[in-house]
């Protein structure tokens, strides 16, 4: 007899308003609407979990009601402590800071470096000062990959480009992030990858900025050139498939030891150009970006996955 | 690399950033200065700023008016200060502890309310924010014009308040009363002037200023609220008042010094000087400690700061 | 002054208690217009409490206060000021960082601006009328004690008082300054202002028109001063015969220098505090220090107690030089120190009597059992001290903050006498004490001297010095003016020296 | 209104009961505002904190660091030394312990555990010692220095963890690698996470009680809290007292670091040890600066934080509310307690 209901706990490291969490929730909503395997999916979220993970996972697991405990970041310690005690429950961890545990502990990874590379091409082509920048929170593998790809994309189309890098050392401090932006602008940057999510200065100074995780065009209509969009849909679908397989066949949970990630071609991300900027971008640049996107998607072009800490020049 | 730092455009950027970073600190510090001059050590500035930032954002979002947001933030700061005043002035509860409790309250309530207000939306909406208002004429001055005279209204307000508060404290009858409350409240009491009303007024003024300082963060410089967005600025304000020897002009200098270090640190990162940024970020605190340790004068603290006044 | 003069202030059946403690019980008295009315009573008799009730600082539990016949509700000093009452408090209520003008003007006037001009004018008028010397622009913190007292008085007059309450204003004044104060009081009375004066000094009390005597919170009687004698008043106050305060004559002063001080020089905040002070002190001798407070006495004591290191000079105890000794080392040499401000320097209010009796010796093996304090030893010690010094307290574990001034002083004496094997430093040991307590302190000091202890005694009460000291050293502006043999010295001579007048003193 | 002389215990009890009722009503209103039934929320809170052996164990786990930081505040505050720096001293304790322990891989637990405990004491004490030296030698107010030291050490840890000598090989998170099991604080009760640190905390509470009430240092703390000057005049080196008090306070705070790192998270990272210092101050005050009271208050706070998780899962009330509840409890408690010191006086009119 096949299950008709699926109950998921979404265990978020920060609040839902943070872009990373927003992208997760948005993807989850799309999956719920799509009803994979005809399942009625219910999701209950807990926010700001990061340092209290073991207790939150355990509290969910002990209710016995939840099929999948879906964590959006590095929860390997908590999952390792619990996975054998709750063999019927499926545990999910995401991104860097984890390691493979197998069994009922699944590990997914989001890499948005491919669209980030294309954004880098925009930046490299559009910059007048030949100085581009990136502002991020902390250096972490799953953000470093994007920043490195962004810089790489720019350099590949414009060898003159110099890159500036600032970490604001806070998960979310818009004021600091804005000041960091001003500082980079003063240092000559006119194309900035905003990973710490504050666009006020970009808007004011009307320089080119790039967003990530979700489409930032509405947030900063005057300055956003393009945004990478993170889509968890293939990952979530894969997890649900794995769960379905285990529940409908005799197979045990058997998670791979390596992280599961999906390339752009499989819908793990997207690139949205701000409609308001479309006219300002020369046609050849748009064409180049289109071409690169297709090449990446059909496998002709491989973008190096560089997760080391990006450095300024 | 150093020569990069010394370029005119970079220096101008650092100067302008210093003034922006200084604004919320200065607003709150001026308020705290007056409160401490009246003898009350308000350690709840962080909580008041945070609630001010949140309510300012919420009110601006709901009403569509940024100035209404600022007004609501001032009200919120004032209200929290009223709670603080009732606790410490009327009920004589330890001031440091009450301040900590208010910080906790501010953090908890703003975070909770944020979640409750925007539950399910998954995202807090971005609102418009104040933009720069160049002062005609002055803002066109070469070099200093764009730095000093192309700022937000709240920034002008903050800097204008320094001479105003100086005049109030040292040139008016009420200023003398406020200072007397901090130096020897009994001297006020025996003149038939109630100590409590003076301290209430000073503390509430401090709260209002902290609220506006917080609002500057959420509607003046960012355009949204994020949990814990004050990020320790309330504590810095308390340090600034002490480093500024409880006097308006030195407080201004201390505020600018802290802000300059912060601006410098961001600029150095932006230029790409290969110094670990943690070192740069801790710089203001280290410098402050050293400055406090070697400062020549130790005076300035109101004599009965933090001591509740009892007649008997 | 006859009783037909209308009463400026009438108190009827006033009762005020603090918890169980009844500080004022059923007090009824009248202060007439233009009279000098003295309030007399032992420490803790309730004089300050009564004044505070009259000034609206405390609200009486029962009773009625009338001003010029009309009942008033004094809920705050503001009410009192409006009713024409001014008060000079037992302890100064000044802001040291404010100027004299600011101290006087704060809280007065109206409007936003601080009208310095008119304030200056009013102060000048008052100062001229009563011949009070004041410099309005000096910082209150820079003033001498006497000058601060003038500020307090002008402050009270500035608010337009018609009844002035002075709570022990002369306790800190020199004889000269006290005389001057009385001259001012005279003028006030001539102007029709009533003065209620609290004092422990009989010479001053005798100058009043009428005296009200308080004992243990109750009014014993109000009498016309002209109709009583000093002894009668004292008997009323303490409820018995006063102890005789005759100077105990001694033939021999102990031999052997115990303490030798040479050329002690000290400056504080850049200002000279002590200039080349030298003296010797022998076992069994009492050396008195006379001087207006603030003329270096405190500095000598702080140097000797190890609290301050002098800039130059030498201190030797039994020939052993000890210039940079810490308080603990000094105590270790058998030096006991009775500080002038007992609640600031001498006692910890939150500690019990037993604990205060061992203050500073908490690590001594005498009071410890292994790493822990030996409570039994502490308590036994305290019980002995309570008995020996007749300390009025419930027991060893009573907190010192609850003791009256006299009893607090006894706790300090008990501790320091035990510590003072060689030298006892006594700075103002009788300040603010009542007659009974003063007599007790005198007897104890004599006993200690007879045991062979060398005693350095500073007092603003010349009576203390003339009764106890073998020699009197007079200090002025940090310097020794002269050291006189008590037998040969006169009050007048010492008074002149205290005021820095060498010639007149020599002539006298 | 005027101050009461005598406290009747009855009045105090009533005052506190009223304060507690007020706090509960205010919290209930917040629950209602969040769209949850207060009854449901409170019962979830209770169930989550004491509903089972495991829940109780978890509550005690959460209480453990708070006991230490509460005691740290208690020792300092009794002497009226405002050590706001327990936060940084927790970091220092954890960092010092890790610094020494991570070189001891392979040693048996019997060696590593005592080393960890001692190192955390030393680390916390030394860091507090900086504030002590600043206060006694340079007269820098301890409130200021400790607050600034709190900020500085966060960056120092970050420096060490992020591409620093302590960062996890191949990792980018600001944390160390997992600590070897041999250095974990042993679990006391199987089926819970309750670790030996809790016993350590109880022992510390007893020791602090003895220290305060029975030893010469406790005597000095009491005296310093009332009249530091008299203590000095009477021959006690008050610089030493200030130094020792801050060292003891810092040492206690330092221990909170290892209970979290070696008892709960098994990694050194900022998030594991953050916030306990400030909360400890509140715990100390709620516990009336008495060790026994502090243990009770810490367990109460542990229960709130612990139960808050289940409350959020069951009722959807954001767990951030827990902090507001803590603050409201504290404010009402302080207000109620203080209000008992006063009685209203009817002003008679003649
Ligand atoms: N605020 C108070 N709380 C409790 N008891 C008090 C208070 N003020 C005074 N007392 C007590 O009331 C009694 C009267 O004190 P009061 O100060 O009026 O005495 P006094 O006559 O002025 O003594 P002195 O000559 O020492 O100044 C004393 O026993 C004192 O301990
Ligand atoms: N200020 C202090 N701080 C810390 N420890 C102290 C202090 N004073 C004394 N001690 C310690 O207390 C112990 C005994 O102190 P002390 O020598 O004062 O006692 P004692 O009564 O003279 O004892 P004994 O007669 O046995 O020498 C010594 O071990 C000393 O180290
Ligand atoms: Mg008195
Ligand atoms: Mg010895």
């Amino acid at each position: 007899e096949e299950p008709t209901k699926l109950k998921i706990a979404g265990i978020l490291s920060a609040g839902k308003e943070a872009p990373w969490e927003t992208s997760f929730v948005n993807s989850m909503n799309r999956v719920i609407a799509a009803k994979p395997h005809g399942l009625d999916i219910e999701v209950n979220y807990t926010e700001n979990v990061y340092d209290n993970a073991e207790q939150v996972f355990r509290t969910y697991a002990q209710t016995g009601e939840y099929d999948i405990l879906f964590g959006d970041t590095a929860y390997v310690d908590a999952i390792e402590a619990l996975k054998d005690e709750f063999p019927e429950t499926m545990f999910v961890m995401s991104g860097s800071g984890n390691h493979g545990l197998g069994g009922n502990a699944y590990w997914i990874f989001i890499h948005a470096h491919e669209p980030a590379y294309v954004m880098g091409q925009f930046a490299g082509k559009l910059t007048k000062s030949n100085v581009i920048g990136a502002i991020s929170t902390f250096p972490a593998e799953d953000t470093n990959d994007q920043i490195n790809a962004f810089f790489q994309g720019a350099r590949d189309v414009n060898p003159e480009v110099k890159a500036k890098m600032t970490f604001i050392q806070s998960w979310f401090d818009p004021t600091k992030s804005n000041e960091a932006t001003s500082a980079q602008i003063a240092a000559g940057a006119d194309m900035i990858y905003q990973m710490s999510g504050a666009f006020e200065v970009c808007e004011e100074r009307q320089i080119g900025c790039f967003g990530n995780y979700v489409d930032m065009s509405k947030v900063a209509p005057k300055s956003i050139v393009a945004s990478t969009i993170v889509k968890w849909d293939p990952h979530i679908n894969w997890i649900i498939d794995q769960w379905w397989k285990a529940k409908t066949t005799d197979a045990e949970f058997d998670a791979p030891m390596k992280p599961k990630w999906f390339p752009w071609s499989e819908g793990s991300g997207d690139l949205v150009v701000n409609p308001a900027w479309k006219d300002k971008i020369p046609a050849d640049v748009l064409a180049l970006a289109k071409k690169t996107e297709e090449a990446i998607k059909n496998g002709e072009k491989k973008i190096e996955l560089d997760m080391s800490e990006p450095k300024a020049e | 690399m150093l020569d990069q730092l010394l370029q005119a455009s970079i220096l101008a950027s650092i100067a302008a950033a210093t003034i922006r970073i200084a604004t919320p600190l200065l607003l709150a510090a001026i308020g705290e200065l007056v409160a401490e001059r009246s003898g009350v050590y308000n350690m709840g500035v962080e909580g008041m700023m945070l609630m001010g930032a949140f309510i300012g954002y919420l009110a601006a979002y709901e009403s569509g008016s940024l100035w209404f947001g600022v007004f609501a933030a001032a009200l919120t700061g004032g209200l929290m200060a009223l709670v603080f005043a009732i606790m410490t002035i009327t009920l004589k509860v330890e001031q440091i502890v009450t301040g900590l409790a208010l910080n906790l309250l501010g953090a908890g309530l703003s975070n909770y309310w944020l979640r409750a207000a925007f539950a399910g939306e998954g995202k807090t909406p971005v609102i418009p924010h104040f933009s720069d208002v160049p002062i005609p004429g002055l803002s066109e001055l070469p070099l200093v014009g764009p730095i000093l005279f192309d700022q937000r209204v709240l920034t002008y307000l903050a800097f204008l308040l320094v001479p105003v508060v100086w005049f109030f404290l040292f040139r008016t009858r009420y200023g003398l009363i406020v200072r007397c409350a901090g130096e020897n409240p009994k001297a006020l009491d025996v003149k038939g002037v109630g100590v409590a009303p003076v301290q209430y007024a000073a503390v509430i003024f401090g709260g209002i200023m902290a609220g506006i300082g917080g609002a500057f963060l959420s509607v003046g410089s960012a355009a949204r609220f994020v949990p814990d967005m004050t990020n320790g600025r309330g504590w810095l304000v308390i340090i600034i008042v002490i480093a500024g020897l409880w006097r308006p002009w030195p407080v201004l200098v201390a505020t600018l010094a802290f802000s300059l270090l912060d601006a410098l640190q961001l600029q150095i990162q932006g230029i790409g000087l290969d110094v670990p940024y943690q070192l740069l970020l801790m710089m203001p605190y280290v410098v402050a400690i050293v400055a406090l340790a070697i400062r020549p004068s130790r005076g300035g603290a109101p004599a009965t700061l933090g001591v509740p006044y009892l007649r008997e | 002054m006859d009783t037909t003069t209308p009463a400026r202030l009438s108190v009827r059946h006033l009762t005020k208690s603090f918890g169980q403690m009844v500080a004022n019980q059923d007090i009824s008295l009248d202060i007439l217009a233009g009279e000098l009315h003295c309030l007399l009573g032992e420490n803790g008799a309730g004089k300050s409490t009564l004044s505070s009730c009259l000034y609206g600082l405390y609200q009486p539990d029962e009773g009625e206060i009338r001003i010029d016949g009309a009942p008033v509700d004094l809920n705050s000093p503001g009410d009192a000021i409006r009713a024409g009452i001014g008060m000079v408090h037992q302890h100064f209520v000044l802001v040291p960082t404010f100027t004299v003008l600011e101290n006087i003007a704060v809280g007065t006037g109206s409007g936003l601006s601080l009208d310095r001009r008119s304030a200056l004018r009013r102060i000048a008028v008052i100062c001229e009328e009563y011949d009070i010397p004041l410099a309005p622009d000096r910082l209150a913190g820079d003033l001498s004690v006497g000058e601060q007292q003038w500020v307090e008085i002008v402050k009270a007059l500035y608010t337009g008082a018609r009844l002035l309450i002075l709570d022990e204003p002369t306790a800190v004044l020199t004889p000269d300054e006290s005389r001057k104060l009385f001259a001012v009081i005279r003028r006030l009375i001539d102007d029709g202002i009533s003065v209620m004066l609290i004092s422990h000094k009989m010479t001053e009390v005798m100058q009043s028109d009428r005296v009200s005597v308080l004992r243990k919170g109750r009014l014993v009687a109000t009498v016309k001063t002209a109709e009583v004698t000093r002894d009668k008043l004292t008997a009323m106050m303490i409820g018995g015969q006063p102890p005789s305060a005759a100077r105990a004559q001694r033939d021999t002063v102990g031999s052997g220098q115990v303490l030798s001080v040479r050329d002690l020089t000290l400056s504080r905040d850049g200002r000279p505090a002590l200039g080349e002070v030298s003296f010797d002190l022998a076992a069994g001798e009492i050396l008195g220090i006379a001087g207006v407070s603030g003329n270096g006495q405190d500095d000598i004591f702080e140097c000797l107690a190890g609290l301050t290191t002098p800039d130059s000079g030498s201190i030797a105890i039994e020939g052993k030089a000890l210039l940079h000794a810490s308080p603990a080392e000094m105590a270790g040499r058998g030096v006991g120190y009775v500080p002038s401000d007992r609640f600031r320097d001498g006692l910890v209010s939150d500690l019990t009597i037993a604990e205060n009796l061992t203050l500073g010796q908490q690590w001594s093996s005498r009071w410890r059992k292994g790493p822990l304090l030996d409570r039994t030893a502490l308590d036994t010690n305290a019980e002995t001290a309570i008995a020996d010094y007749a300390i009025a307290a419930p027991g060893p574990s009573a907190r010192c903050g609850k003791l009256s001034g006299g009893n607090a002083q006894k706790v300090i004496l008990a501790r320091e006498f035990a510590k003072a094997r060689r030298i006892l430093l006594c700075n103002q040991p009788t300040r603010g004490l009542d007659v009974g307590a003063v007599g007790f302190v005198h007897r104890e000091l004599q006993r200690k001297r007879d045991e062979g202890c060398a005693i350095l005694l500073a007092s603003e009460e010349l009576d203390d010095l003339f009764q106890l000291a073998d020699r009197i050293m007079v200090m002025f502006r940090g310097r020794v003016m002269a050291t006189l043999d008590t037998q040969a010295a006169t009050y007048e001579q010492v008074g002149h020296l205290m005021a820095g007048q060498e010639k007149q003193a020599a002539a006298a | 209104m005027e101050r009461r002389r005598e406290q009747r215990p009855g009045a105090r009890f009533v005052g506190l009961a009223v304060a507690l009722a007020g706090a509960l009503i205010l919290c209930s209103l917040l629950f209602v505002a969040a769209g949850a039934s207060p009854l449901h929320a409170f019962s979830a809170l209770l169930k989550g904190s004491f509903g089972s052996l495991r829940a109780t164990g978890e509550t005690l786990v959460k209480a453990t660091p708070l006991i230490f930081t509460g005691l740290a505040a208690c020792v300092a505050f009794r002497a009226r030394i405002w050590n706001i720096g327990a936060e940084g001293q927790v970091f220092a304790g954890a960092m010092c312990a890790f610094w020494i322990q991570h070189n001891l891989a392979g040693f048996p637990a019997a060696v590593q555990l005592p080393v960890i405990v001692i190192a955390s004491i030393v680390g916390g004490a030394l860091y507090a010692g900086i504030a002590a030296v600043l206060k006694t030698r340079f007269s820098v107010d301890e409130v200021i220095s400790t607050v600034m030291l709190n900020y500085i050490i966060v960056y120092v840890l970050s420096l060490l963890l992020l591409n620093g000598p302590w960062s996890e090989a191949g990792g980018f998170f600001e944390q160390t690698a997992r600590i070897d099991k041999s250095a974990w604080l042993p679990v006391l009760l199987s089926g819970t996470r309750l670790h030996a640190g809790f016993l350590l905390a109880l022992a510390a509470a007893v020791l602090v009680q003895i220290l305060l009430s029975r030893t010469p240092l406790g005597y000095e703390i009491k005296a310093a809290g009332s009249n530091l000057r008299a203590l000095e005049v009477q021959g006690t080196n008050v610089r030493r007292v200030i130094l020792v008090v801050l060292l003891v306070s810092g040492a206690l705070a330092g221990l909170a670091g290892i209970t979290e790192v070696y008892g709960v998270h098994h990694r050194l990272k900022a998030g594991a040890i953050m916030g306990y210092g400030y909360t400890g101050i509140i715990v100390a005050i709620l516990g009336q600066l008495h060790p026994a009271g502090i243990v009770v208050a810490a367990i109460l706070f542990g229960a709130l934080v612990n139960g808050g998780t289940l409350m959020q899962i069951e009722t959807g009330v954001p767990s951030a509310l827990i902090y507001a509840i803590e603050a409201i409890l504290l404010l009402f408690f302080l207000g109620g307690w203080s209000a008992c010191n006063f009685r209203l006086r009817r002003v008679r009119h003649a």
Side-chain angles (χ1 to χ4, degrees), chain A residues 17 172 174 200, chain B residues 49-74 76 110 113-115 117-118 121-130 211-212 214-220 222-227 229:
Chain A
E17 70 282 348
F172 218 31
E200 288 78 22
Chain B
M49 285 181 83
L50 192 52
M51 276 306 278
F54 174 68
I55 299 290
Y57 161 78
L58 194 64
Y61 169 71
E62 296 290 349
S63 70
S65 154
L66 291 178
W67 281 110
F68 182 73
V70 173
F71 172 75
T76 307
S110 60
W113 201 335
L114 177 78
R115 302 261 181 278
F118 300 102
E121 287 175 40
K123 181 142 180 56
T124 48
V126 173
I127 54 171
H129 62 96
F130 285 115
I212 298 177
F216 183 83
L217 293 173
S218 63
V219 303
R224 86 197 66 185
F225 178 82
V226 296
M229 83 182 298

Side-chain angles (χ1 to χ4, degrees), chain D residues 206-247:
Chain D
V206 172
L207 283 177
V208 168
Q209 175 60 41
I210 293 174
L211 170 86
L212 290 175
S213 63
R214 305 286 308 279
T215 66
L217 180 61
Y219 175 113
E220 287 172 348
I221 287 174
K222 196 164 139 197
S226 172
N227 186 350
L228 191 69
R229 185 173 158 91
L231 195 61
E232 182 172 24
V233 169
Q234 292 308 318
T236 302
N237 181 349
V238 296
R239 284 186 176 183
R240 175 189 57 82
V241 175
I242 292 169
L243 181 75
V244 171
V245 167
L246 274 169
L247 291 182

Side-chain angles (χ1 to χ4, degrees), chain B residues 138-204:
Chain B
L138 292 176
S139 63
E140 279 120 50
L141 291 175
L143 216 58
V144 294
I147 298 169
L148 297 179
F149 302 108
D150 187 12
Q151 297 281 357
R152 283 160 197 157
V153 175
L154 283 176
T155 305
Y156 300 131
L157 176 74
F159 282 82
L160 217 62
L161 269 174
V162 175
V164 169
V165 164
W166 173 84
F167 184 83
F168 170 79
L169 280 178
F170 296 99
R171 289 290 178 271
T172 68
R173 210 170 68 80
Y174 294 109
L176 189 65
I177 288 176
V178 168
R179 288 191 288 135
C180 190
E183 296 290 348
N184 186 352
K186 190 164 183 197
L188 210 53
D189 196 9
V190 300
K191 287 287 186 67
V193 181
V195 176
V198 174
Q199 293 185 327
Y200 263 80
V203 167
I204 289 172

Side-chain angles (χ1 to χ4, degrees), chain A residues 14-19 21-22 25-26 29 47-48 137-139 163-170 172-188 196-201 203-205 214 216 219 309 311-313, chain B residues 1 4 7 9-10 13-14 16-18 20-21 24 111 114-115 119-124 126-127 129-132 152 217-218 221-231 233 262-263 265-267 269-274 277-278 281:
Chain A
K16 280 182 192 167
E17 70 282 348
E21 278 65 24
T22 309
V25 174
N26 289 349
N29 288 341
E47 299 165 87
N48 290 332
T137 51
F138 295 93
K164 301 283 175 202
M165 182 69 232
T166 307
F167 292 102
I168 61 166
Q169 170 81 2
S170 162
F172 218 31
D173 186 338
T175 308
K176 235 181 197 150
S177 168
N178 278 333
E179 289 305 339
T181 310
S182 296
Q184 289 204 351
I185 294 171
S196 56
F199 297 94
E200 288 78 22
V201 172
E203 282 291 274
E204 218 165 88
R205 310 286 293 269
V214 289
M216 297 289 182
V219 175
E309 185 182 329
K311 294 266 187 248
E313 299 163 305
Chain B
M1 278 292 175
Q4 284 196 30
Q7 287 167 22
S9 66
I10 300 261
S13 155
I14 293 174
T18 301
R20 277 192 305 270
I21 293 173
N111 216 334
L114 177 78
R115 302 261 181 278
E121 287 175 40
K123 181 142 180 56
T124 48
V126 173
I127 54 171
H129 62 96
F130 285 115
S131 43
D132 291 341
R152 283 160 197 157
L217 293 173
S218 63
S221 75
R224 86 197 66 185
F225 178 82
V226 296
D228 298 320
M229 83 182 298
T230 44
N231 211 350
R233 287 177 180 88
D262 208 8
Q265 136 341 77
L266 286 164
Q267 192 66 59
Q269 268 202 74
I271 288 172
L273 217 53
D274 195 19
Y277 57 84
Q278 295 94 337
L281 282 165

